[in-house]
PDB file of all heavy atoms in Angstrom:
ATOM      1  N   HIS A 307      14.902  23.556   9.159  1.00  0.00           N
ATOM      2  CA  HIS A 307      13.847  23.044   8.291  1.00  0.00           C
ATOM      3  C   HIS A 307      14.101  21.502   8.144  1.00  0.00           C
ATOM      4  O   HIS A 307      13.196  20.743   8.118  1.00  0.00           O
ATOM      5  CB  HIS A 307      14.210  23.663   6.888  1.00  0.00           C
ATOM      6  CG  HIS A 307      13.352  23.164   5.884  1.00  0.00           C
ATOM      7  ND1 HIS A 307      13.707  22.104   4.985  1.00  0.00           N
ATOM      8  CD2 HIS A 307      12.018  23.477   5.451  1.00  0.00           C
ATOM      9  CE1 HIS A 307      12.721  21.844   4.188  1.00  0.00           C
ATOM     10  NE2 HIS A 307      11.695  22.658   4.425  1.00  0.00           N
ATOM     11  N   HIS A 308      15.417  21.155   8.201  1.00  0.00           N
ATOM     12  CA  HIS A 308      15.634  19.640   8.203  1.00  0.00           C
ATOM     13  C   HIS A 308      17.177  19.424   8.627  1.00  0.00           C
ATOM     14  O   HIS A 308      17.989  20.333   8.496  1.00  0.00           O
ATOM     15  CB  HIS A 308      15.372  18.949   6.908  1.00  0.00           C
ATOM     16  CG  HIS A 308      16.240  19.330   5.729  1.00  0.00           C
ATOM     17  ND1 HIS A 308      15.756  20.108   4.707  1.00  0.00           N
ATOM     18  CD2 HIS A 308      17.492  19.026   5.290  1.00  0.00           C
ATOM     19  CE1 HIS A 308      16.695  20.366   3.768  1.00  0.00           C
ATOM     20  NE2 HIS A 308      17.669  19.686   4.175  1.00  0.00           N
ATOM     21  N   MET A 309      17.494  18.205   8.988  1.00  0.00           N
ATOM     22  CA  MET A 309      18.927  17.797   9.131  1.00  0.00           C
ATOM     23  C   MET A 309      19.168  16.465   8.552  1.00  0.00           C
ATOM     24  O   MET A 309      18.263  15.588   8.620  1.00  0.00           O
ATOM     25  CB  MET A 309      19.159  17.735  10.650  1.00  0.00           C
ATOM     26  CG  MET A 309      19.345  18.953  11.499  1.00  0.00           C
ATOM     27  SD  MET A 309      19.913  18.646  13.256  1.00  0.00           S
ATOM     28  CE  MET A 309      18.345  18.005  13.927  1.00  0.00           C
ATOM     29  N   GLY A 310      20.325  16.356   8.033  1.00  0.00           N
ATOM     30  CA  GLY A 310      20.800  15.079   7.610  1.00  0.00           C
ATOM     31  C   GLY A 310      21.957  14.531   8.459  1.00  0.00           C
ATOM     32  O   GLY A 310      22.898  15.331   8.622  1.00  0.00           O
ATOM     33  N   PHE A 311      21.854  13.291   8.755  1.00  0.00           N
ATOM     34  CA  PHE A 311      22.961  12.724   9.603  1.00  0.00           C
ATOM     35  C   PHE A 311      23.510  11.458   8.695  1.00  0.00           C
ATOM     36  O   PHE A 311      22.946  10.585   8.321  1.00  0.00           O
ATOM     37  CB  PHE A 311      22.393  12.055  10.841  1.00  0.00           C
ATOM     38  CG  PHE A 311      23.329  11.492  11.809  1.00  0.00           C
ATOM     39  CD1 PHE A 311      24.272  12.176  12.418  1.00  0.00           C
ATOM     40  CD2 PHE A 311      23.368   9.942  12.061  1.00  0.00           C
ATOM     41  CE1 PHE A 311      25.289  11.563  13.217  1.00  0.00           C
ATOM     42  CE2 PHE A 311      24.172   9.448  12.883  1.00  0.00           C
ATOM     43  CZ  PHE A 311      25.190  10.141  13.442  1.00  0.00           C
ATOM     44  N   LYS A 312      24.841  11.527   8.563  1.00  0.00           N
ATOM     45  CA  LYS A 312      25.643  10.615   7.784  1.00  0.00           C
ATOM     46  C   LYS A 312      26.791   9.976   8.490  1.00  0.00           C
ATOM     47  O   LYS A 312      27.313  10.500   9.329  1.00  0.00           O
ATOM     48  CB  LYS A 312      26.132  11.362   6.456  1.00  0.00           C
ATOM     49  CG  LYS A 312      25.103  12.107   5.755  1.00  0.00           C
ATOM     50  CD  LYS A 312      25.661  12.765   4.457  1.00  0.00           C
ATOM     51  CE  LYS A 312      24.559  13.542   3.691  1.00  0.00           C
ATOM     52  NZ  LYS A 312      25.093  14.074   2.489  1.00  0.00           N
ATOM     53  N   GLY A 313      27.262   8.841   8.030  1.00  0.00           N
ATOM     54  CA  GLY A 313      28.434   8.188   8.525  1.00  0.00           C
ATOM     55  C   GLY A 313      29.501   8.119   7.452  1.00  0.00           C
ATOM     56  O   GLY A 313      29.214   7.902   6.251  1.00  0.00           O
ATOM     57  N   ALA A 314      30.726   8.409   7.977  1.00  0.00           N
ATOM     58  CA  ALA A 314      31.877   8.300   6.879  1.00  0.00           C
ATOM     59  C   ALA A 314      32.988   7.378   7.491  1.00  0.00           C
ATOM     60  O   ALA A 314      33.057   7.114   8.584  1.00  0.00           O
ATOM     61  CB  ALA A 314      32.540   9.672   6.914  1.00  0.00           C
ATOM     62  N   TYR A 315      33.705   6.649   6.513  1.00  0.00           N
ATOM     63  CA  TYR A 315      34.680   5.798   6.934  1.00  0.00           C
ATOM     64  C   TYR A 315      36.083   6.308   7.029  1.00  0.00           C
ATOM     65  O   TYR A 315      36.966   5.564   7.335  1.00  0.00           O
ATOM     66  CB  TYR A 315      34.769   4.722   5.742  1.00  0.00           C
ATOM     67  CG  TYR A 315      33.482   3.815   5.678  1.00  0.00           C
ATOM     68  CD1 TYR A 315      32.556   4.080   4.641  1.00  0.00           C
ATOM     69  CD2 TYR A 315      33.304   2.834   6.440  1.00  0.00           C
ATOM     70  CE1 TYR A 315      31.414   3.272   4.499  1.00  0.00           C
ATOM     71  CE2 TYR A 315      32.102   2.081   6.420  1.00  0.00           C
ATOM     72  CZ  TYR A 315      31.144   2.281   5.499  1.00  0.00           C
ATOM     73  OH  TYR A 315      30.091   1.567   5.376  1.00  0.00           O
ATOM     74  N   ILE A 316      36.117   7.646   7.099  1.00  0.00           N
ATOM     75  CA  ILE A 316      37.475   8.313   7.289  1.00  0.00           C
ATOM     76  C   ILE A 316      37.253   9.371   8.375  1.00  0.00           C
ATOM     77  O   ILE A 316      36.131   9.899   8.569  1.00  0.00           O
ATOM     78  CB  ILE A 316      38.079   8.924   6.080  1.00  0.00           C
ATOM     79  CG1 ILE A 316      36.998  10.031   5.561  1.00  0.00           C
ATOM     80  CG2 ILE A 316      38.278   7.928   5.004  1.00  0.00           C
ATOM     81  CD1 ILE A 316      37.570  10.975   4.230  1.00  0.00           C
ATOM     82  N   PRO A 317      38.336   9.692   9.126  1.00  0.00           N
ATOM     83  CA  PRO A 317      38.179  10.674  10.221  1.00  0.00           C
ATOM     84  C   PRO A 317      37.940  12.104   9.678  1.00  0.00           C
ATOM     85  O   PRO A 317      38.205  12.347   8.439  1.00  0.00           O
ATOM     86  CB  PRO A 317      39.522  10.666  10.932  1.00  0.00           C
ATOM     87  CG  PRO A 317      40.108   9.361  10.523  1.00  0.00           C
ATOM     88  CD  PRO A 317      39.652   9.075   9.149  1.00  0.00           C
ATOM     89  N   CYS A 318      37.448  12.982  10.348  1.00  0.00           N
ATOM     90  CA  CYS A 318      37.283  14.456  10.046  1.00  0.00           C
ATOM     91  C   CYS A 318      38.693  14.961   9.901  1.00  0.00           C
ATOM     92  O   CYS A 318      39.688  14.646  10.220  1.00  0.00           O
ATOM     93  CB  CYS A 318      36.600  15.216  11.245  1.00  0.00           C
ATOM     94  SG  CYS A 318      34.982  14.545  11.676  1.00  0.00           S
ATOM     95  N   GLY A 319      38.582  16.091   8.856  1.00  0.00           N
ATOM     96  CA  GLY A 319      39.821  16.977   8.656  1.00  0.00           C
ATOM     97  C   GLY A 319      40.625  16.660   7.363  1.00  0.00           C
ATOM     98  O   GLY A 319      41.290  17.416   6.914  1.00  0.00           O
ATOM     99  N   ARG A 320      40.339  15.506   6.736  1.00  0.00           N
ATOM    100  CA  ARG A 320      41.011  15.122   5.508  1.00  0.00           C
ATOM    101  C   ARG A 320      40.463  15.830   4.382  1.00  0.00           C
ATOM    102  O   ARG A 320      41.078  16.258   3.434  1.00  0.00           O
ATOM    103  CB  ARG A 320      41.039  13.654   5.189  1.00  0.00           C
ATOM    104  CG  ARG A 320      41.687  12.755   6.270  1.00  0.00           C
ATOM    105  CD  ARG A 320      41.778  11.287   5.950  1.00  0.00           C
ATOM    106  NE  ARG A 320      42.357  10.417   6.926  1.00  0.00           N
ATOM    107  CZ  ARG A 320      42.557   9.172   6.725  1.00  0.00           C
ATOM    108  NH1 ARG A 320      42.077   8.600   5.721  1.00  0.00           N
ATOM    109  NH2 ARG A 320      43.152   8.563   7.798  1.00  0.00           N
ATOM    110  N   LYS A 321      39.112  16.132   4.410  1.00  0.00           N
ATOM    111  CA  LYS A 321      38.421  16.965   3.458  1.00  0.00           C
ATOM    112  C   LYS A 321      37.380  17.871   4.111  1.00  0.00           C
ATOM    113  O   LYS A 321      37.036  17.492   5.307  1.00  0.00           O
ATOM    114  CB  LYS A 321      37.598  15.968   2.469  1.00  0.00           C
ATOM    115  CG  LYS A 321      38.554  15.155   1.579  1.00  0.00           C
ATOM    116  CD  LYS A 321      37.607  14.344   0.665  1.00  0.00           C
ATOM    117  CE  LYS A 321      38.435  13.470  -0.280  1.00  0.00           C
ATOM    118  NZ  LYS A 321      37.530  12.682  -1.176  1.00  0.00           N
TER     119      LYS A 321
END
Side-chain angles (χ1 to χ4, degrees):
H307 182 268
H308 66 257
M309 283 189 290
F311 180 68
K312 306 180 181 184
Y315 292 101
I316 61 174
C318 304
R320 297 186 183 179
K321 294 181 179 180

